[in-house]
PDB file of all heavy atoms in Angstrom:
ATOM      1  N   TYR A 238     -19.986  19.064  22.369  1.00  0.00           N
ATOM      2  CA  TYR A 238     -19.955  19.614  21.008  1.00  0.00           C
ATOM      3  C   TYR A 238     -18.499  19.745  20.538  1.00  0.00           C
ATOM      4  O   TYR A 238     -18.156  19.337  19.410  1.00  0.00           O
ATOM      5  CB  TYR A 238     -20.657  20.981  20.962  1.00  0.00           C
ATOM      6  CG  TYR A 238     -20.739  21.557  19.570  1.00  0.00           C
ATOM      7  CD1 TYR A 238     -21.830  21.292  18.744  1.00  0.00           C
ATOM      8  CD2 TYR A 238     -19.710  22.350  19.052  1.00  0.00           C
ATOM      9  CE1 TYR A 238     -21.896  21.800  17.450  1.00  0.00           C
ATOM     10  CE2 TYR A 238     -19.765  22.856  17.775  1.00  0.00           C
ATOM     11  CZ  TYR A 238     -20.862  22.586  16.977  1.00  0.00           C
ATOM     12  OH  TYR A 238     -20.910  23.083  15.690  1.00  0.00           O
ATOM     13  N   GLY A 275     -20.336  33.341  16.356  1.00  0.00           N
ATOM     14  CA  GLY A 275     -20.947  32.047  16.663  1.00  0.00           C
ATOM     15  C   GLY A 275     -19.896  30.970  16.492  1.00  0.00           C
ATOM     16  O   GLY A 275     -20.133  29.913  15.911  1.00  0.00           O
ATOM     17  N   HIS A 280     -12.733  25.844  16.538  1.00  0.00           N
ATOM     18  CA  HIS A 280     -11.900  25.059  15.615  1.00  0.00           C
ATOM     19  C   HIS A 280     -11.809  25.732  14.244  1.00  0.00           C
ATOM     20  O   HIS A 280     -10.772  25.640  13.573  1.00  0.00           O
ATOM     21  CB  HIS A 280     -12.437  23.625  15.484  1.00  0.00           C
ATOM     22  CG  HIS A 280     -13.837  23.528  14.983  1.00  0.00           C
ATOM     23  ND1 HIS A 280     -14.899  24.098  15.651  1.00  0.00           N
ATOM     24  CD2 HIS A 280     -14.347  22.952  13.882  1.00  0.00           C
ATOM     25  CE1 HIS A 280     -16.011  23.861  14.961  1.00  0.00           C
ATOM     26  NE2 HIS A 280     -15.693  23.179  13.893  1.00  0.00           N
ATOM     27  N   ASP A 296     -18.949  34.278  20.689  1.00  0.00           N
ATOM     28  CA  ASP A 296     -20.050  33.321  20.829  1.00  0.00           C
ATOM     29  C   ASP A 296     -20.950  33.738  21.986  1.00  0.00           C
ATOM     30  O   ASP A 296     -20.500  34.314  22.974  1.00  0.00           O
ATOM     31  CB  ASP A 296     -19.524  31.898  21.064  1.00  0.00           C
ATOM     32  CG  ASP A 296     -20.566  30.844  20.719  1.00  0.00           C
ATOM     33  OD1 ASP A 296     -21.464  30.590  21.554  1.00  0.00           O
ATOM     34  OD2 ASP A 296     -20.504  30.307  19.602  1.00  0.00           O
ATOM     35  N   LEU A 297     -22.236  33.400  21.819  1.00  0.00           N
ATOM     36  CA  LEU A 297     -23.254  33.693  22.826  1.00  0.00           C
ATOM     37  C   LEU A 297     -23.013  32.927  24.116  1.00  0.00           C
ATOM     38  O   LEU A 297     -23.376  33.404  25.205  1.00  0.00           O
ATOM     39  CB  LEU A 297     -24.612  33.285  22.223  1.00  0.00           C
ATOM     40  CG  LEU A 297     -25.884  33.550  22.984  1.00  0.00           C
ATOM     41  CD1 LEU A 297     -26.103  35.045  23.177  1.00  0.00           C
ATOM     42  CD2 LEU A 297     -27.072  32.941  22.228  1.00  0.00           C
ATOM     43  N   SER A 318     -23.315  38.501  21.320  1.00  0.00           N
ATOM     44  CA  SER A 318     -24.365  38.035  20.413  1.00  0.00           C
ATOM     45  C   SER A 318     -24.287  38.742  19.069  1.00  0.00           C
ATOM     46  O   SER A 318     -24.085  39.959  19.017  1.00  0.00           O
ATOM     47  CB  SER A 318     -25.749  38.294  21.018  1.00  0.00           C
ATOM     48  OG  SER A 318     -26.740  37.915  20.089  1.00  0.00           O
ATOM     49  N   MET A 319     -24.479  37.957  18.020  1.00  0.00           N
ATOM     50  CA  MET A 319     -24.465  38.540  16.674  1.00  0.00           C
ATOM     51  C   MET A 319     -25.621  39.503  16.462  1.00  0.00           C
ATOM     52  O   MET A 319     -25.605  40.306  15.541  1.00  0.00           O
ATOM     53  CB  MET A 319     -24.492  37.435  15.618  1.00  0.00           C
ATOM     54  CG  MET A 319     -25.797  36.690  15.498  1.00  0.00           C
ATOM     55  SD  MET A 319     -25.725  35.483  14.164  1.00  0.00           S
ATOM     56  CE  MET A 319     -24.848  34.165  14.972  1.00  0.00           C
ATOM     57  N   PHE A 335     -20.561  30.535  10.709  1.00  0.00           N
ATOM     58  CA  PHE A 335     -20.748  29.149  10.259  1.00  0.00           C
ATOM     59  C   PHE A 335     -21.757  28.450  11.160  1.00  0.00           C
ATOM     60  O   PHE A 335     -21.496  28.197  12.341  1.00  0.00           O
ATOM     61  CB  PHE A 335     -19.403  28.418  10.319  1.00  0.00           C
ATOM     62  CG  PHE A 335     -18.765  28.197   8.973  1.00  0.00           C
ATOM     63  CD1 PHE A 335     -19.086  28.997   7.894  1.00  0.00           C
ATOM     64  CD2 PHE A 335     -17.820  27.189   8.791  1.00  0.00           C
ATOM     65  CE1 PHE A 335     -18.487  28.799   6.653  1.00  0.00           C
ATOM     66  CE2 PHE A 335     -17.228  26.975   7.558  1.00  0.00           C
ATOM     67  CZ  PHE A 335     -17.564  27.783   6.485  1.00  0.00           C
TER      68      PHE A 335
HETATM   69  C1  SAM B 761     -24.043  24.736  15.632  1.00  0.00           C
HETATM   70  S1  SAM B 761     -22.919  25.680  16.590  1.00  0.00           S
HETATM   71  C2  SAM B 761     -21.720  26.174  15.338  1.00  0.00           C
HETATM   72  C3  SAM B 761     -20.387  26.451  15.958  1.00  0.00           C
HETATM   73  C4  SAM B 761     -19.254  26.678  14.963  1.00  0.00           C
HETATM   74  N1  SAM B 761     -19.452  27.896  14.204  1.00  0.00           N
HETATM   75  C5  SAM B 761     -19.114  25.497  14.030  1.00  0.00           C
HETATM   76  O1  SAM B 761     -19.102  25.691  12.798  1.00  0.00           O
HETATM   77  O2  SAM B 761     -19.000  24.363  14.508  1.00  0.00           O
HETATM   78  C6  SAM B 761     -23.828  27.184  16.821  1.00  0.00           C
HETATM   79  C7  SAM B 761     -23.061  28.189  17.672  1.00  0.00           C
HETATM   80  O3  SAM B 761     -23.667  29.470  17.506  1.00  0.00           O
HETATM   81  C8  SAM B 761     -23.714  30.108  18.756  1.00  0.00           C
HETATM   82  N2  SAM B 761     -24.776  31.116  18.691  1.00  0.00           N
HETATM   83  C9  SAM B 761     -26.111  30.907  18.579  1.00  0.00           C
HETATM   84  N3  SAM B 761     -26.767  32.078  18.569  1.00  0.00           N
HETATM   85  C10 SAM B 761     -25.820  33.049  18.659  1.00  0.00           C
HETATM   86  C11 SAM B 761     -25.856  34.471  18.696  1.00  0.00           C
HETATM   87  N4  SAM B 761     -27.019  35.147  18.683  1.00  0.00           N
HETATM   88  N5  SAM B 761     -24.688  35.155  18.760  1.00  0.00           N
HETATM   89  C12 SAM B 761     -23.501  34.500  18.825  1.00  0.00           C
HETATM   90  N6  SAM B 761     -23.402  33.150  18.819  1.00  0.00           N
HETATM   91  C13 SAM B 761     -24.549  32.431  18.726  1.00  0.00           C
HETATM   92  C14 SAM B 761     -23.978  28.985  19.738  1.00  0.00           C
HETATM   93  O4  SAM B 761     -23.679  29.329  21.071  1.00  0.00           O
HETATM   94  C15 SAM B 761     -23.095  27.890  19.168  1.00  0.00           C
HETATM   95  O5  SAM B 761     -21.798  27.929  19.699  1.00  0.00           O
END
Side-chain angles (χ1 to χ4, degrees):
Y238 184 90
H280 59 300
D296 201 280
L297 184 63
S318 176
M319 71 177 80
F335 255 23

